[in-house]
Each structure stands twice: as structure tokens, then as C-alpha cells.
Amino acid sequence: MKMAAEEPQAKKPKLEQNQLSENVLFGMGNPLLDICAVVDKDFLDKYGLKPNDQILAEDKHKELFEELVKRFNVEYHAGGSTQNSVKVAQWMIQSPYKAATFFGCIGTDKFGEILKNKTEEAHVDAHYYEQSDEPTGTCAACITGDNRSLVAHLAAANCYNKEKHLDLEKNWKLVEKAKVYYIAEAASLAREQGFETEDIKEIARKAQALPKVNPKRQRIVVFTQGKDDTIMATENEVTAFPVLDSDQSEIIDTNGAGDAFVGGFLSQLVYDRLLTECIRAGHYAASVIIKRSGCTFPEKPDFH
């Protein structure tokens, strides 16, 4: 990566030696518009929701999202696992804006327009494939007291068309500009690969050793386990990293912790920093997000 050119008048604090360019991080996944509101028990009962749950929307939930907006005071956030991680990475990076790029599919509707505005506010360079067959994916966060009942309607998020979007020259150029790529939503790896073990360190070791198309770049495997140690497997070793201690009374919402960890990790990976530093940033980002409602954060990080 090119070094930043020295300015003759540069008597400012020393800048990072490797300044980032726009679109250095690329993420692709299922974009959702998070719609958050404090609701009452009658609303939960009407749609058969438990106070603290996560479900995929069924036919009986079709009217839920519009009713939530009409009846309650809602907050909107750009959501979906990968989009959350990319959003957190951009927050951790701060400058330049649009260091993070995101691709996904939305509908040509009101919620799609709101989602575009929200990713723009987060300074993420989102390029959506827009289609009219399915509405924009949404996730309703129905809050009662300390409980959150999440109802996700993937809809357009499942309709991404590679030929009509990714393969377009202008979009593929953004892919080529990136240095780090993140595409999530992996299934249960151990069962899928037939590892026949539940030991998290052993699973990490076996996952790291799986065949790889590009042998020149070693695979790094990182598993988070909530409040338990984060596990990292490299070619030579498996290491456990304790997470940051948090006062239990300060924890509000742990749903976005994993996405936030990834975002923090990626924010340092794009600088080619040590993996231990990437994990430290991931733990920091997760520790911030769990003290807030939804995958949200203050204006600037306090990570050094």
C-alpha cells in the first residue's frame, strides 16, 4: 500500500503510516432494516410473540411491521449480520468515510429508502441490488422492559442476483479495490465437516487445517463464545483470549456482540495489524455494543 505523501506544512500529530483508501473492506450479506420500538403485551400476544425470542416471520406476522411503525415510536437502524459488522468496522476506522463497502439486495420501497439513508449515515458505501418482487428485509425488535422479541423477515435479502449486480463492471471494480473481504452466515461448522468433537479448540484447529484454494495465505480461524474466551487457530497454534470484563448491570443487549466483534477485528485487519490487536479491537467493539440497545454505538470509539 502506498505511503501517504508528506506535506511541507505537516506539523500536525503523526498520522498512520499506512493511510487507508476508500473501499478497502468489502462485505456482502443479507441487509435488513432494524425497526425497534417499545411495545405492550397486547402487541406481543396479537402476533404470538414471546417477550425474549428470535424468530423468522411467518404469514401471521405480515402486518406486524407496518403496525409497529403506525402504533409505536420506532427507531430505524441498518441491520443484518454482515451489514452490522461492516458498519462497526467503519465506525472503528472513522476515516476515511466509505472505507467499508457493502453489497446486498433490497426492495424498491419505503423501507429500502430508509435503509439506504441509514447506511449513508454510518458512512458505509452500500451498493444494493434493488428489485421489486420482494420487499426490503426487516427485523422488528419488540421491546418490553428488559426483553427483546426479534422477528426477522428476510424477503428481498434472499433475492440477490449476481449476474445483475456483482458482475456489473462498476460493482466488480469495488470488489477488486478491496483488501479484506467478509462474507458471513456460516452453518454449524463441526457438524457440517464431520469433526466429531465439541471441544471448541479442537474444532478451531481442524477448521484451520481444512483444504484451501490459495495455499500462499494461511487460514486464520476465530471463534467467539459470548462471555467465554475467544479462540484463535493459526497454522502453528490455538490460543484462547479472555473477553473484557463487563459490569452485568451495564449490559443491555447482547444480540449484536458477535457482529460487533467481527467489525472491530476487521477494522484492524485492514491495517495489517497483529492478530492479537485485531482480537483486542473485536473485544472492545463488542463491549461497547452490549451496553446499548441494538447494534448501535457512540459517535466515536475510545480504542487505543
Side-chain angles (χ1 to χ4, degrees):
M1 180 169 282
K2 291 182 180 178
M3 302 280 281
E6 287 190 15
E7 299 287 341
Q9 72 275 23
K11 293 184 179 177
K12 299 174 184 175
K14 192 175 179 182
L15 297 173
E16 285 280 357
Q17 283 191 327
N18 51 342
Q19 291 292 291
L20 294 181
S21 60
E22 289 185 0
N23 309 114
V24 67
L25 171 64
F26 177 84
M28 187 173 182
N30 293 336
L32 300 176
L33 178 66
D34 289 346
I35 309 172
C36 310
V38 175
V39 302
D40 51 39
K41 185 176 180 298
D42 289 344
F43 185 80
L44 295 185
D45 292 344
K46 178 177 179 179
Y47 290 102
L49 303 177
K50 296 174 185 174
N52 204 24
D53 204 7
Q54 298 182 53
I55 64 169
L56 288 175
E58 302 171 23
D59 284 345
K60 66 181 180 181
H61 302 121
K62 277 187 176 177
E63 307 301 321
L64 180 153
F65 301 92
E66 287 292 349
E67 183 175 346
L68 190 66
V69 172
K70 287 175 183 171
R71 282 187 55 192
F72 302 100
N73 183 23
V74 302
E75 285 186 9
Y76 296 108
H77 302 287
S81 180
T82 304
Q83 190 163 238
N84 276 340
S85 295
V86 167
K87 190 174 67 170
V88 170
Q90 178 65 57
W91 169 67
M92 288 283 286
I93 291 166
Q94 287 284 302
S95 179
Y97 290 167
K98 298 185 177 182
T101 312
F102 179 79
F103 281 12
C105 181
I106 63 174
T108 52
D109 52 27
K110 173 183 69 177
F111 286 155
E113 290 303 313
I114 295 172
L115 183 51
K116 285 192 282 187
N117 289 337
K118 289 298 170 182
T119 49
E120 189 175 343
E121 285 175 14
H123 309 303
V124 170
D125 193 17
H127 294 259
Y128 298 113
Y129 169 58
E130 299 181 42
Q131 49 73 59
S132 54
D133 293 333
E134 288 284 344
T136 297
T138 45
C139 181
C142 305
I143 303 164
T144 50
D146 293 333
N147 296 315
R148 293 165 64 85
S149 189
L150 305 179
V151 186
H153 181 41
L154 297 179
N158 282 331
C159 299
Y160 189 80
N161 187 306
K162 174 181 174 290
E163 289 75 19
K164 292 183 179 179
H165 193 260
L166 188 67
D167 290 348
L168 297 182
E169 186 180 0
K170 65 178 182 179
N171 291 334
W172 189 249
K173 280 183 177 177
L174 291 171
V175 177
E176 292 179 325
K177 264 182 93 173
K179 175 181 167 184
V180 173
Y181 302 84
Y182 179 60
I183 301 172
E185 284 100 41
S188 179
L189 188 67
R191 287 195 299 273
E192 193 176 290
Q193 296 294 334
F195 286 164
E196 297 180 353
T197 179
E198 292 185 4
D199 181 272
I200 195 73
K201 287 187 176 181
E202 184 63 11
I203 293 169
R205 188 188 66 76
K206 290 190 173 190
Q208 194 283 329
L210 287 170
K212 196 168 179 293
V213 174
N214 177 10
K216 294 177 184 176
R217 189 171 178 177
Q218 68 155 318
R219 176 185 286 114
I220 308 297
V221 174
V222 179
F223 288 149
T224 59
Q225 307 183 87
K227 65 184 187 322
D228 295 328
D229 289 356
T230 296
I231 306 298
M232 180 176 74
T234 63
E235 194 173 25
N236 301 316
E237 61 182 347
V238 178
T239 314
F241 297 85
V243 301
L244 297 175
D245 283 333
S246 291
D247 185 336
Q248 292 297 308
S249 66
E250 294 181 344
I251 296 175
I252 294 173
D253 181 5
T254 59
N255 283 308
D259 297 341
F261 174 89
V262 171
F265 187 98
L266 294 172
S267 75
Q268 304 306 297
L269 190 63
V270 293
Y271 284 108
D272 286 326
R273 296 203 173 122
L274 294 174
L275 292 171
T276 51
E277 193 66 4
C278 296
I279 286 179
R280 190 171 76 86
H283 285 163
Y284 166 76
S287 75
V288 171
I289 266 66
I290 62 174
K291 295 171 185 171
R292 301 170 67 90
S293 183
C295 191
T296 61
F297 33 78
E299 185 181 351
K300 291 189 176 180
D302 183 24
F303 176 75
H304 307 287

